[in-house]
Amino acid sequence: IDGIISREFSDITVSAGDRDALISFYTFGCMGTLCRWLDGNMEEDCGKVLAVLHKVVHGAVRDALIRLSGETDGTC
């Protein structure tokens, strides 16, 4: 997650604390999803799990960074 933010969103400046909080949030969310999949004996199709994760986070990281940067009034 840190690498994605550094690589894809270097144009958005947020405090180190806000950045760390965002990284933790998405890291734990992705890890929780992976753990749930593993705990379910990997019966659910991996591609479907990844597709849902992509739909959930697509655009959300950029939106969150923009809100944390103070560049908007908090709406996206």
Side-chain angles (χ1 to χ4, degrees):
I1 303 297
D2 184 27
I4 292 168
I5 290 174
S6 296
R7 185 176 56 253
E8 301 295 325
F9 308 113
S10 61
D11 59 322
I12 304 171
T13 303
V14 298
S15 72
D18 285 345
R19 188 175 194 278
D20 289 345
L22 188 68
I23 290 168
S24 291
F25 178 82
Y26 281 103
T27 298
F28 286 114
C30 291
M31 289 303 300
T33 301
L34 176 62
C35 288
R36 185 193 62 181
W37 178 69
L38 291 170
D39 192 43
N41 296 319
M42 300 175 283
E43 290 179 10
E44 189 175 0
D45 180 76
C46 180
K48 289 181 182 179
V49 173
L50 293 176
V52 169
L53 276 176
H54 181 265
K55 287 177 186 177
V56 169
V57 301
H58 183 74
V61 174
R62 175 174 286 284
D63 291 346
L65 285 167
I66 289 170
R67 286 191 301 276
L68 290 169
S69 74
E71 292 180 18
T72 69
D73 62 2
T75 59
C76 288

